[in-house]
Amino acid sequence: MSPPDPREAQVKRLLEGPYPAVPPGLAAGAAAHGDRLLRRRRTVRRIGWTLLFAAVVAFLVWASLTHAWTSPSSEVSPPW
């Protein structure tokens, strides 16, 4: 059997002892930080979808103007 781990005993003492006081604005600060993160993620996601949509529209306009689906015409006749 292995000897007792001193870290485990230290963790047990911390869990049994008095709990430290929580700062008064901690919950409000955490909620505000979470709101900022969600707002930033939502903005980045909207910008990404907008850029993707603009790229698709630009590709479709380019393809319709250049007729990218047709093969180029042969301007040189084959030799006889």
Side-chain angles (χ1 to χ4, degrees):
M1 194 164 159
S2 63
D5 188 15
R7 283 187 247 157
E8 184 178 343
Q10 183 182 12
V11 169
K12 285 183 181 180
R13 280 194 307 272
L14 284 173
L15 291 176
E16 291 172 356
Y19 298 108
V22 176
L26 184 66
H33 182 68
D35 286 342
R36 282 192 305 271
L37 283 176
L38 287 176
R39 204 171 28 245
R40 186 176 301 138
R41 286 180 186 165
R42 190 178 311 129
T43 302
V44 167
R45 192 176 301 125
R46 283 181 184 168
I47 289 172
W49 279 110
T50 303
L51 287 175
L52 179 66
F53 180 74
V56 168
V57 168
F59 173 76
L60 291 175
V61 168
W62 169 79
S64 67
L65 291 176
T66 60
H67 299 285
W69 55 89
T70 61
S71 62
S73 62
S74 174
E75 295 179 5
V76 178
S77 59
W80 284 93

